[in-house]
Amino acid sequence: MKLDSIRREYRFAALTKQSVAASPIDQFKEWLNDAQRANVNDFSAMSLVTAETGAFPQSRIVLLKDISVDGFTFFTNYDSQKGKAIEKNNKVGLHFFWPELERQVRIDGVAEKTSREASVQYFKSRPLESQIAACASAQSATLTSRSKLEEQYRSLQNALQGDHPECPENWGGYLVRPVKMEFWQGRESRLHDRIVYELVENEWKIKRLSP
Ligand SMILES: Cc1cc2nc3c(=O)[nH]c(=O)nc-3n(C[C@H](O)[C@H](O)[C@H](O)COP(=O)(O)O)c2cc1C
């Protein structure tokens, strides 16, 4: 594979300081809607980046489950690697890439646990299989074998006899409150548009960055 000759031009759209919404959340919602309408696969998937002092930064995909004026919500196991990292440093990064629209969004934000009530409510909305899997898997812990995981799943499934499990105490949501959001739109000849919103004294300031 000759990667160094792979390139394409970006011509889908443009972005200006005048055309974007005053609130980055509104701008984000518009782009998320565009991504859904464009049938982008897993359009709500985002990289979540955590960073602990002196350690390698860690990135993984999670699914965005809610967006509000407060920020971005995803759900996970609080005892996972990401949960432990957020415990030590709640400053995180979120990153969306929608190739069909030649767009990316980068978010710096501060993560906090959602209320137990919100976590339980979302847990209950998940299919039974996903609920059992969340209970049966100690996310990010070392497993001796795949069959061990399947055994844990089956034994819980049998014990429940069709009932739904309680939302585990160590499972729930994080709300990421944004402090900075960058919208990137690919443009011709690599002269891309980058519009950044930064929260300064509770107000969103907008500027353009060089590509
Ligand atoms: C498309 C996709 C969606 C995912 N959604 C989630 C999610 O919403 N929550 C979650 O905990 N893990 C999700 N994962 C798995 C994570 O990427 C990761 O493997 C897991 O959370 C363990 O990460 P950690 O060890 O860094 O905590 C998803 C993975 C993919 C590829």
Side-chain angles (χ1 to χ4, degrees):
M1 196 189 300
K2 259 191 83 53
L3 289 173
D4 61 0
S5 62
I6 292 175
R7 56 181 58 87
R8 67 170 169 133
E9 278 294 343
Y10 300 104
R11 297 193 177 96
F12 177 76
L15 196 60
T16 65
K17 273 169 74 175
Q18 291 71 32
S19 67
V20 294
S23 145
I25 298 286
D26 290 342
Q27 183 62 37
F28 181 84
K29 282 180 178 170
E30 200 178 309
W31 274 23
L32 192 70
N33 278 329
D34 289 347
Q36 185 180 29
R37 277 198 297 268
N39 291 321
V40 175
N41 254 341
D42 291 325
F43 69 93
S44 62
M46 57 187 182
S47 295
L48 162 74
V49 182
T50 51
E52 289 174 59
T53 316
F56 291 104
Q58 290 184 332
S59 169
R60 76 290 281 161
I61 301 287
V62 291
L63 295 179
L64 177 66
K65 288 295 172 183
D66 189 44
I67 160 101
S68 71
V69 285
D70 295 326
F72 303 80
T73 299
F74 65 90
F75 291 87
T76 194
N77 183 312
Y78 291 140
D79 294 331
S80 64
Q81 253 184 111
K82 72 180 93 46
K84 287 178 179 153
I86 292 170
E87 203 62 44
K88 292 196 179 129
N89 176 12
N90 62 0
K91 293 190 175 82
V92 301
L94 301 176
H95 188 198
F96 293 83
F97 175 44
W98 299 302
E100 291 84 345
L101 302 177
E102 303 168 356
R103 287 173 176 171
Q104 70 170 339
V105 179
R106 283 163 63 175
I107 299 160
D108 292 352
V110 179
E112 63 187 60
K113 285 181 182 171
T114 56
S115 67
R116 172 76 183 154
E117 198 186 355
S119 298
V120 170
Q121 192 183 353
Y122 174 65
F123 185 85
K124 283 185 174 163
S125 75
R126 304 179 84 208
L128 177 62
E129 294 74 19
S130 309
Q131 293 179 350
I132 298 174
C135 299
S137 160
Q139 194 178 51
S140 312
T142 304
L143 261 176
T144 45
S145 67
R146 163 101 204 164
S147 53
K148 178 84 188 137
L149 175 67
E150 290 174 1
E151 194 185 300
Q152 286 166 199
Y153 180 94
R154 266 197 312 276
S155 105
L156 183 56
Q157 193 180 36
N158 291 339
L160 287 164
Q161 298 186 326
D163 281 348
H164 289 253
E166 293 276 308
C167 174
E169 289 290 336
N170 66 351
W171 194 95
Y174 283 103
L175 166 70
V176 177
R177 293 181 187 272
V179 295
K180 187 174 170 186
M181 290 179 60
E182 179 191 323
F183 293 81
W184 183 99
Q185 178 73 63
R187 297 293 304 275
E188 209 159 357
S189 308
R190 300 294 185 263
L191 298 179
H192 313 303
D193 289 326
R194 297 177 66 188
I195 301 292
V196 177
Y197 295 73
E198 239 171 322
L199 201 52
V200 182
E201 288 164 4
N202 273 334
E203 258 187 59
W204 288 108
K205 302 278 183 217
I206 303 179
K207 63 185 178 189
R208 174 182 286 273
L209 294 186
S210 181

